[in-house]
Structure formats: structure tokens, C-alpha cells
Amino acid sequence: MNRTNRRLILLSLTVCVWTAAITIASQKQQFLARAPATLTIETEPKSVRILIDGERLEQGAYINTPTEINMRPGRHKLTVQRDGYLPQDRTVDLVSGETENLDDIVLVRRQGLDLATAEVTSGEGAVTCEVDDGIGRGPTPLTVANLVVGQAHIITCYPKWPSREGAARCKFTAQSGDEDAATVKLKLWNKQGKLKISGCDRKASQ
């Protein structure tokens, strides 16, 4: 093999190596571009509604923070809301494959609004209940603070949580002048395995 042919072969091998390297780098860049970014959110109060670019997360139900959300990279508008508090807006620039932490979101209580506490008890055994789409959720006895006074609130209780079958549901209104005014007591009908909630204003539609 003469020197010219050796040079041509070496040149071809060099071109192949560089082409492969460029292809791998390009594929890596494309993969990273498609990889989601992570946004972690921590708020006070802990239970809030979250909107991303105007779209409600969890269909508008309350979300307990801290929480972690996988999102597409780029700029996004974040809105944090809770009844009785001023909403807060943030703009975040998310980088593919990286995590952005928002741990300083503190909602300010609206002036002129009174807040109350609901205490939920069960006659026999613990029953899982939630208030206002998850602003408070857990087994009884359950205390849910910072509910807006004079506003109708919905409580839903589940006899066999996490199953949502056979739930009892009704509305109650916290009264002003007493932070413990909104008290809802639960009673379980043992024979039929159904729940009946006392202390409510009226039944809520399913």
C-alpha cells in the first residue's frame, strides 16, 4: 500500500470518528432538550391551589406542599392561590434536566376576612374526610384551620378510604366571632355501613 492510499484511509477514518462524535453529541443535545425540568414548590399555608400557565393542577383541587412537578423546559407563569389569601404570581425559567426550587412563597391573608377552624369528629372509629377539595384531609379527629368565615364549605367523608364509594357530603358555614365555631360531627350507621354528617347547613350535590 503506497503512502497516498494510507493517507486517504487515515483521512477517511478521521472523518468517520468526527462524524460519529458529532452525531452522538447532537443526539445527546436532542435528548436533553426533550428531558423535563423539575419544579419544587413549598408554600405557607401548606395547602394551596396551583396554576401553571393558567392551567389548574389536579383539576383545581388543593395540593399539599412541598410538592414536586415535572414540566417542559422554558419560561412558565406560576400562580398560587388559597381562599382567604391574596394570590401570588411567579415567573420561572426552567432548564432541561435541572431542578428549580421555590421555597419562599408566603401567601398574605386578605384584610377584613375572618378565618375559622373546623373540628371533625367521628362517633365510632376513624373516618377519612376532606374539606373543600383537599384544603384539609385526613382521618378523624380532623382539624382544618384557616377557613373563610361566612363562606360555604364542603366536607366529604369516605367510609372505606381510599375508595370513594358511599361517601357522605354536605355544606357548612363557619360563623364569625369564634375560631372554633365550625364544628362538624360524624356518625356512622353501623347496620348499612353508611355515613351521616351532623352539624351541616344542608346536603351538597355529589
Side-chain angles (χ1 to χ4, degrees):
M1 182 181 294
N2 58 37
R3 184 177 298 178
T4 301
N5 288 336
R6 288 178 181 175
R7 286 180 178 176
L8 289 174
I9 293 173
L10 182 60
L11 179 61
S12 298
L13 290 174
T14 303
V15 170
C16 289
V17 170
W18 277 104
T19 300
I22 292 172
T23 301
I24 292 172
S26 177
Q27 290 175 344
K28 185 177 181 180
Q29 270 192 332
Q30 291 176 2
F31 173 78
L32 289 175
R34 292 194 300 267
T38 302
L39 178 64
T40 62
I41 303 172
E42 186 170 0
T43 66
E44 184 59 42
K46 299 300 183 184
S47 296
V48 293
R49 301 183 195 269
I50 298 176
L51 290 80
I52 303 292
D53 298 329
E55 183 176 347
R56 293 180 179 271
L57 297 186
E58 301 295 333
Q59 299 180 334
Y62 279 91
I63 297 172
N64 289 328
T65 67
T67 187
E68 186 176 283
I69 306 169
N70 290 326
M71 300 172 56
R72 59 180 171 79
R75 176 164 291 188
H76 299 276
K77 181 181 178 182
L78 171 76
T79 302
V80 179
Q81 301 174 335
R82 180 183 169 113
D83 288 350
Y85 292 79
L86 296 173
Q88 189 171 141
D89 294 325
R90 293 287 184 92
T91 299
V92 292
D93 292 299
L94 303 180
V95 179
S96 178
E98 296 187 5
T99 298
E100 177 77 14
N101 296 307
L102 290 179
D103 56 4
D104 60 346
I105 300 178
V106 179
L107 300 185
V108 178
R109 178 175 164 179
R110 291 183 181 274
Q111 292 184 354
L113 279 183
D114 291 328
L115 301 179
T117 298
E119 294 182 355
V120 187
T121 59
S122 177
E124 297 185 19
V127 179
T128 297
C129 299
E130 66 177 349
V131 175
D132 291 349
D133 291 326
I135 197 171
R137 180 187 294 117
T140 56
L142 173 66
T143 300
V144 183
N146 300 322
L147 298 175
V148 178
V149 165
Q151 175 177 308
H153 302 280
I154 296 178
I155 181 170
T156 309
C157 297
Y158 308 93
K160 297 181 180 180
W161 180 265
S163 171
R164 293 178 177 264
E165 295 182 0
R169 181 179 171 94
C170 65
K171 293 183 179 181
F172 68 93
T173 305
Q175 303 300 321
S176 60
D178 185 353
E179 290 189 351
D180 297 322
T183 301
V184 181
K185 295 183 178 180
L186 308 179
K187 293 182 179 180
L188 179 63
W189 295 353
N190 293 325
K191 290 183 179 181
Q192 299 179 358
K194 293 182 179 180
L195 290 175
K196 179 179 180 182
I197 306 173
S198 63
C200 291
D201 301 332
R202 58 192 180 281
K203 290 184 178 180
S205 59
Q206 297 292 332

